[in-house]
């Protein structure tokens, strides 16, 4: 089910929306700065209480940098495919409940 939802047209459309938001310089790739910007905002959205603690951005940046090293797969940036895979994995990890296509769509809409 998880892999099926990843190729659903609505899920792909929502992932494209995140790509458009994240590719701030419209270069057609996501660099480290853009990746960190996205991850810090996602962290804040998903961990509201943690953002009340001093230094939360430093902690979130450490985690995001570690994820960046994995997600970029040795490349200097993320292309659209690597970004979609990376972002889908994030959503999959945070998804609560049954991993249905509708659940992914709902969660992506919440985040967007």
């Amino acid at each position: 089910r998880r892999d099926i939802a990843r190729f659903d047209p609505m899920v792909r459309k929502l992932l494209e929306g995140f790509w458009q938001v994240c590719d701030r310089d419209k270069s057609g790739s996501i660099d480290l700065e853009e990746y960190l910007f996205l991850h810090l905002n996602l962290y804040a959205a998903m961990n509201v209480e943690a953002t009340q603690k001093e230094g939360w951005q430093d902690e979130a940046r450490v985690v995001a940098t570690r994820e960046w090293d994995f997600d970029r797969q040795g490349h200097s940036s993320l292309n659209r495919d690597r970004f979609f895979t990376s972002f889908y994995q994030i959503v999959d990890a945070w998804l609560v409940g049954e991993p249905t296509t509708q659940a992914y769509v709902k969660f992506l809409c919440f985040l967007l």
Side-chain angles (χ1 to χ4, degrees), residues 1-68:
R1 277 190 181 191
R2 284 180 156 85
D3 287 335
I4 291 170
R6 182 172 148 189
F7 299 103
D8 178 82
M10 182 53 98
V11 170
R12 302 292 290 181
K13 183 176 182 178
L14 290 164
L15 290 172
E16 179 65 31
F18 279 98
W19 170 264
Q20 295 299 323
V21 168
C22 195
D23 185 18
R24 297 169 64 189
D25 64 3
K26 305 302 181 209
S27 66
S29 65
I30 305 299
D31 62 23
L32 176 59
E33 181 182 323
E34 292 166 323
Y35 187 88
L36 291 176
F37 177 80
L38 174 67
H39 273 263
L40 289 176
N41 282 290
L42 290 175
Y43 184 91
M46 296 304 298
N47 300 287
V48 175
E49 288 182 27
T51 62
Q52 305 306 308
K53 187 173 75 172
E54 190 169 326
W56 74 268
Q57 289 179 323
D58 294 332
E59 291 177 26
R61 190 171 279 111
V62 167
V63 172
T65 302
R66 191 170 48 235
E67 293 294 320
W68 165 258

